[in-house]
Amino acid sequence: MGRNTFKKPIKSSREQKKSKFNPFAFIEQKLDMRSIVGENVPIKLVLPLLYASFLAMFYIWSNYKAENTIRKIDRLQQEVEDLRADVTTLEAEYMYASKQSEVAKKIQPLGIIEIEEPPQKLILEK
């Protein structure tokens, strides 16, 4: 009997892996992680764990920044409400102070008196 053989040769698994870009394999080639973590730790898991820890740190940082922004917005909204109340108070005081009777009281010490009779209308004859 003859040997069983394939009609087309099968590509080795190394050739198939080379066709796809694997960032973890690239980083593993550039950085020798075995000297850092030792021989007992599976090297294939180190880089994905570093990546996951980076994502976790980024998530924590962005959450921290979002909470700070929310606190700042709340503080500014409170300040705007206080300023709005101050403006309303100042407008009311201004409206009260600009009344004719209040103006007359303020100018009385200067010797200016309020006219009691209405102004007269002048008619020009041609």
Side-chain angles (χ1 to χ4, degrees), residues 35-64:
S35 62
I36 297 172
V37 294
E39 294 292 326
N40 295 335
V41 177
I43 299 297
K44 291 183 180 180
L45 296 179
V46 172
L47 290 174
L49 287 176
L50 287 176
Y51 180 70
S53 63
F54 170 75
L55 287 179
M57 293 297 286
F58 181 75
Y59 175 76
I60 292 169
W61 174 79
S62 64
N63 202 7
Y64 173 76

Side-chain angles (χ1 to χ4, degrees), residues 5 15 35 42 49-50 55 57 64 73 95 107 116 120:
T5 58
E15 292 176 9
S35 62
L49 287 176
L50 287 176
L55 287 179
M57 293 297 286
Y64 173 76
I73 288 171
M95 293 300 289
I107 61 171
E116 298 291 329
Q120 297 178 356

Side-chain angles (χ1 to χ4, degrees), residues 66-80:
E67 287 178 3
N68 279 346
T69 304
I70 289 170
R71 281 191 214 107
K72 189 175 182 180
I73 288 171
D74 288 342
R75 191 176 341 111
L76 291 174
Q77 282 179 344
Q78 183 63 37
E79 187 176 337
V80 166

Side-chain angles (χ1 to χ4, degrees), residues 120-126:
Q120 297 178 356
K121 188 174 185 180
L122 298 177
I123 301 174
L124 182 63
E125 294 181 14
K126 291 188 182 182

